[in-house]
Amino acid sequence: MPLFAGRGRDAALGYAGRFAHMLDSTIVLLVGTFQNASGEPVLGATSPEALSDLERGRWTRCRNLYWDLTTYPSALAALRRALPANPRLELAAAQLDSAFQRDSAVAECDNVASMITAPARWTPWEAQYTTAARRFYRGFYDQIRAVHERDRALVFALNAAVAPDRRIRMPAGLPPNPPYAGAAPR
């Protein structure tokens, strides 16, 4: 997400709408990447060759989306400085920033993708892969869903701060259950 470079209230509010929409799209793509995944590391995988093409591709897509997600906190910081004075909007942006700070599991995408592309750097491979994948699956969905809910709160506050003809569509909420195959209802 490029940093806000505009000037003025209208430009900041317009950028906030694009920011919220882009973040929603990135999160939805990330969650979809793990649709029907097992939610567990592949048992007995002693090297990347033990992973299916689908599994290797999943982690590569995840890595790309992780790097996209790393651009949002900086963009949000620049946006927060440019937003017009509005307590609801300021609170929503601050809460989104806090949610970003708690989102650490997605970083495992980069680790696992690195393990797949450069396995010799990760020894013992099976233990490193299993630990990273478990850490990801254990925390990813709840953390990214929290970011998504804060993004939705930003859209709500933004829509209250702009004229009706400038409101943006509220992103659909993510389901309470992770996208993994056989995930138990919460």
Side-chain angles (χ1 to χ4, degrees):
M1 185 75 196
L3 297 178
F4 175 67
R7 295 191 192 278
R9 176 186 193 277
D10 288 343
L13 293 172
Y15 175 87
R18 285 188 303 282
F19 174 97
H21 176 73
M22 294 296 294
L23 180 57
D24 169 60
S25 295
T26 302
I27 290 172
V28 168
L29 282 170
L30 179 61
V31 170
T33 297
F34 289 90
Q35 189 73 39
N36 295 322
S38 68
E40 294 289 331
V42 175
L43 294 176
T46 57
S47 71
E49 291 77 32
L51 304 176
S52 68
D53 288 342
L54 176 65
E55 188 71 7
R56 287 192 301 270
R58 178 177 283 139
W59 288 108
T60 300
R61 281 189 305 284
C62 185
R63 169 196 260 171
N64 294 338
L65 291 166
Y66 161 71
W67 284 110
D68 285 349
L69 283 169
T70 65
T71 66
Y72 286 92
S74 301
L76 181 60
L79 174 61
R80 287 180 69 188
R81 291 188 296 273
L83 285 172
N86 177 309
R88 276 197 220 167
L89 201 50
E90 292 167 358
L91 177 61
Q95 289 175 334
L96 178 56
D97 186 50
S98 293
F100 276 128
Q101 302 309 317
R102 291 187 295 271
D103 183 20
S104 61
V106 179
E108 295 300 341
C109 292
D110 187 42
N111 291 332
V112 174
S114 293
M115 290 174 199
I116 292 168
T117 59
R121 293 187 4 219
W122 301 84
T123 57
W125 194 89
E126 182 177 11
Q128 298 273 345
Y129 159 75
T130 300
T131 299
R134 275 199 184 115
R135 192 175 303 127
F136 172 82
Y137 285 120
R138 189 174 29 240
F140 145 74
Y141 190 72
D142 288 339
Q143 290 173 6
I144 206 69
R145 187 169 178 260
V147 170
H148 193 255
E149 284 303 306
R150 296 294 70 178
D151 185 44
R152 287 168 39 86
L154 179 65
V155 170
F156 185 79
L158 176 63
N159 282 343
V162 298
D165 64 327
R166 295 200 56 213
R167 292 181 180 151
I168 63 170
R169 179 188 53 80
M170 176 61 74
L174 296 175
N177 297 328
Y180 317 134
R186 292 184 179 186

